[in-house]
């Protein structure tokens, strides 16, 4: 009977769905253009569900910032924004790492290639701003009509481009093209209306011209007859192209002084939306174009190439799925044959300019890829998806070696420089720390080397092969014969071959071995730039995750050149594939006080690791001794005959064990009484490890001194343990055997 507005001060707008708790009508869930919100007090306050990675990005751009580039884009009704491609923390890329560059519906952003602090962002209908990343200020720079000029027609998603040829130059387009040479402070109109200039009120919607009152055709939809695609050649300053929403391509070879119209590309639907235009970075005469006809109910891919600057065209849709409109095109800056396209259902690459396409689907959901950007320095492929946010394929350079043919030999691809640093923990602990499960954290590429290789051979898993054949027989109604003894034994003895990647320093010392199942195709392994840990092997897994326990990993290696070598492990043999690649490990240099002697630091950490491993091994030996003594106590009681001599020997071993344990771990009774006692060697070493393992700073004099003391005090303890194990315990176990005692764990039964 009556309604009133509720509080939405901190909630997004454009509501679409709502649930009201039938048992508590103050409790609602509301879905809107901003995501999902929850209220427990009938909209007085709201909780935003910030861990749903479902952002709809229209466009993507990248900068050249150091040490990590940033990713920018415009979202459906959630502003334009930017954020890091990588971070130095151990928490992944969080919501707090992102920043807003402009409000409204966000569309194409661009970044000055010479200054990453100058960002251009826009909202719907060409509302363009220049955003200052340092100050956070934005200045409106949208071109305005000249005196007496009709209002410009801006598309919902107006094309924007920053020039690679001249600092401060950028292009923008409505129904006309604009150029600025002073960072958007002033604009020159460099074209007339480049559209067909059709009267949209005479066009049919479905099968007839509809009434002015029938739909919001002229209210909430984009004006018709606008430029929707634009590109400047990276090879030639004055070579530019524009595409319109009514199917025209216009090319200018003189910076906009004159334009050549291209209409009715053979194979493209008439008046189809020109979604993307792209000049080749290798040949001035080569142009790519993608048409999108989904507004007419046609979801076929339309992608074309011209090698004579638009005078003739050839379809390169080839084997792209017949359903899946094409939105975007990109070309590799090194390999002229390698191109990418984003479609309604994913991203594809072609090694031969569209002769054949293959989907890049690993890790990417089936989603509309609206735009693609390539970060040239890193050879990263960055995608803007409409519903799953941004995706990055780190270092796609191996695709430059892919050809449309079967490889008969394995191959290792060039590894890009690996940046090395110690990840910080501003939240106090790794991962999400104590922030709760609703704290959003995206995957991050940390300090690691990515080693990519192709393995050519296929190894049949005998059991899987038999089961596959049996499944086929069952499906076709045939018998499934029992395997022979030899066949079944061969299955039992079969071990899946493994690829062994060995990382060597420049002197040939192996610092890391990594295994991966051997199967045909392109593989990638990641090395965390650390030595192998020297801790005693422990196959027991903890029953719960303890964030305070840390992880078992070595320390960072010395910066410099390293070699990755490939071998295959098969039939208990390691065979070299004679494939190797040399790559560099470079420090990030993000310290306020720069390290003076990195070599000394690494050497010291290796000494600490080695002594720590010795201490842990000694402690493990003592636990094994005490475990043996518990079993020996039980075994003695199960013996026949006098026990006097055995009890004396056991008491002596136990006494020495307690004495050694006190030397290693300190006096427990003194600790209970709070009586002062010197630090133990293990305690000293534990503090040294805790204080400096995850730092790239120089070794402190305090740590050097404490390590020297720990090492001096540990040596006699270690010798005492060895004497206990090799002499006292061994004599006791021999006596047990001679007297016919039951077997106890670890006892050697023969001399």
């Amino acid at each position: 009977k009556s309604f009133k507005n509720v509080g939405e001060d901190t909630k997004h707008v454009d509501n679409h769905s709502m649930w009201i708790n039938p048992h508590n009508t103050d409790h609602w869930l509301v879905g809107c253009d901003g995501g999902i919100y929850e209220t427990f007090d009938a909209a007085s306050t709201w909780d935003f569900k910030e861990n749903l990675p479902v952002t709809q990005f229209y466009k993507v751009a990248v900068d050249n910032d150091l040490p990590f580039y940033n990713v920018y884009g415009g979202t459906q009704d959630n502003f334009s924004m930017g954020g890091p491609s990588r971070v130095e923390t151990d928490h992944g890329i969080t919501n707090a790492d992102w920043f807003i560059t402009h409000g409204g519906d966000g569309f194409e952003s661009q970044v000055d290639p010479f200054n990453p602090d100058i960002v251009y962002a826009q909202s719907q209908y060409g509302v363009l701003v220049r955003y200052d990343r340092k100050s956070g200020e934005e200045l409106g720079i949208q071109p305005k009509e000249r005196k007496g000029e009709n209002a410009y027609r801006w598309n919902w998603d107006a094309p924007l481009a920053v020039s690679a040829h001249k600092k401060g130059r950028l292009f923008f387009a409505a129904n006309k093209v604009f150029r600025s040479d002073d960072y958007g402070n002033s604009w020159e109109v460099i074209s007339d209306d480049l559209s067909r200039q059709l009267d949209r009120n005479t066009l049919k919607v479905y099968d007839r011209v509809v009434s002015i009152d029938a739909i919001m055709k002229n209210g909430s939809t984009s004006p018709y007859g606008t430029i929707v695609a634009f590109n400047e050649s990276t090879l030639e300053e004055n070579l530019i192209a524009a595409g319109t929403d009514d199917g025209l391509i216009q090319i200018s070879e003189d910076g906009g002084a004159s334009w050549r119209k291209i209409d009715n590309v053979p194979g493209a639907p008439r008046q189809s939306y020109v979604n993307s235009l792209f000049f080749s970075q290798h040949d001035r005469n080569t142009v790519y174009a993608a048409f999108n006809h989904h507004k007419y109910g046609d979801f076929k891919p339309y992608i074309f190439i011209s090698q004579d600057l638009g005078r003739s065209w050839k379809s390169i849709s080839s084997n792209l799925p017949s359903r899946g409109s094409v939105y975007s095109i990109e070309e590799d800056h090194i390999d002229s044959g390698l191109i990418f396209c984003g479609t309604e259902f994913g991203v594809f690459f072609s090694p031969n300019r569209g002769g054949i396409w293959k989907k890049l689907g690993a890790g990417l959901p089936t989603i509309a890829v609206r735009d693609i950007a390539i970060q040239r320095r890193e050879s990263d492929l960055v995608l803007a998806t409409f519903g799953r946010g941004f995706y990055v394929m780190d270092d796609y350079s191996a695709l430059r070696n892919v050809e449309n043919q079967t490889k008969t030999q394995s191959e290792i691809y060039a590894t890009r420089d690996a940046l090395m640093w110690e990840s910080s923990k501003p939240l106090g602990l790794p991962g999400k720390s104590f922030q709760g499960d609703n704290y959003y954290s995206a995957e991050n590429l940390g300090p690691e080397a990515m080693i990519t290789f192709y393995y050519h051979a296929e190894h049949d898993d005998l059991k899987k092969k038999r089961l596959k054949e049996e499944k086929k027989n069952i499906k076709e109604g045939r018998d499934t014969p029992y395997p022979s003894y030899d066949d079944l034994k061969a299955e039992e003895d079969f071990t899946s071959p493994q690829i062994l990647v060995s990382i060597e320093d420049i002197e040939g010392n192996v610092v890391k071995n990594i295994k991966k199942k051997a199967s045909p195709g392109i593989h990638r392994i990641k090395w965390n730039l650390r030595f192998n840990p020297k801790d005693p092997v422990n196959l027991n897994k903890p029953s719960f995750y303890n964030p305070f326990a840390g992880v078992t990993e070595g320390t960072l290696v010395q910066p410099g050149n390293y070699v990755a070598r490939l071998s295959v492990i098969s039939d208990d043999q390691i065979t070299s594939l004679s494939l190797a690649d040399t790559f560099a490990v470079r420090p990030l240099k993000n310290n306020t006080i720069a390290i003076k002697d990195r070599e000394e630091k690494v050497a010291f950490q290796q000494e600490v690791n080695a002594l720590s491993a010795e201490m842990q091994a000694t402690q493990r030996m003592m636990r094994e001794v005490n475990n043996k003594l518990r079993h020996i106590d039980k075994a003695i009681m199960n013996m026949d005959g006098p026990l006097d001599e055995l009890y004396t020997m056991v008491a002596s071993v136990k006494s020495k064990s307690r004495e050694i344990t006190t030397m290693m771990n300190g006096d427990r009774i003194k600790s209970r009484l709070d009586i002062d006692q010197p630090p133990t060697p293990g305690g000293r070493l534990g503090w040294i490890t805790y204080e400096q393992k995850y730092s790239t700073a120089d070794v402190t004099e305090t740590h050097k001194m404490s390590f020297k003391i720990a090492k001096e005090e540990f040596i006699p303890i270690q010798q005492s343990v060895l004497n206990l194990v090799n002499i006292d315990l061994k004599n006791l176990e021999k006596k047990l055997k001679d007297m016919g005692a039951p077997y106890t764990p670890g006892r050697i039964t023969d001399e």
Side-chain angles (χ1 to χ4, degrees), residues 265-336:
V265 171
R270 180 169 173 77
Q271 294 181 212
S272 186
Y273 194 102
V274 182
N275 224 122
S276 185
L277 277 175
F278 195 92
F279 283 109
S280 171
Q281 302 170 84
H282 305 277
D283 173 24
R284 77 174 296 274
N285 293 313
T286 297
V287 190
Y288 298 94
F291 294 85
N292 191 317
H293 211 50
H294 82 267
K295 291 184 179 181
Y296 290 82
D298 180 357
F299 298 95
K300 295 177 183 177
Y302 295 104
I303 182 168
F304 299 86
I305 185 173
S306 171
Q307 294 179 294
D308 53 11
L309 218 57
R311 292 174 176 83
S312 65
W313 296 85
K314 180 181 75 171
S315 172
I316 54 172
S317 300
S318 58
N319 67 317
L320 285 172
S322 58
R323 186 171 182 268
S325 305
V326 177
Y327 291 107
S328 51
I329 312 165
E330 271 289 346
E331 178 194 55
D332 182 54
H333 51 292
I334 294 176
D335 181 357
S336 62

Side-chain angles (χ1 to χ4, degrees), residues 503-505 511 527 557-564 581-585:
I503 312 294
E504 301 175 359
D505 63 21
V511 298
W527 172 42
V557 299
Q558 173 80 1
N561 290 332
Y562 288 82
V563 179
D581 175 57
T582 300
F583 61 95
V585 173

Side-chain angles (χ1 to χ4, degrees), residues 724-741:
L724 179 68
V725 172
N726 295 326
I727 300 174
D728 299 281
L729 187 60
K730 188 174 181 181
N731 289 337
L732 174 59
E733 289 179 326
K734 184 177 184 303
K735 187 70 173 177
L736 286 167
K737 180 191 174 187
D738 292 343
M739 294 183 66

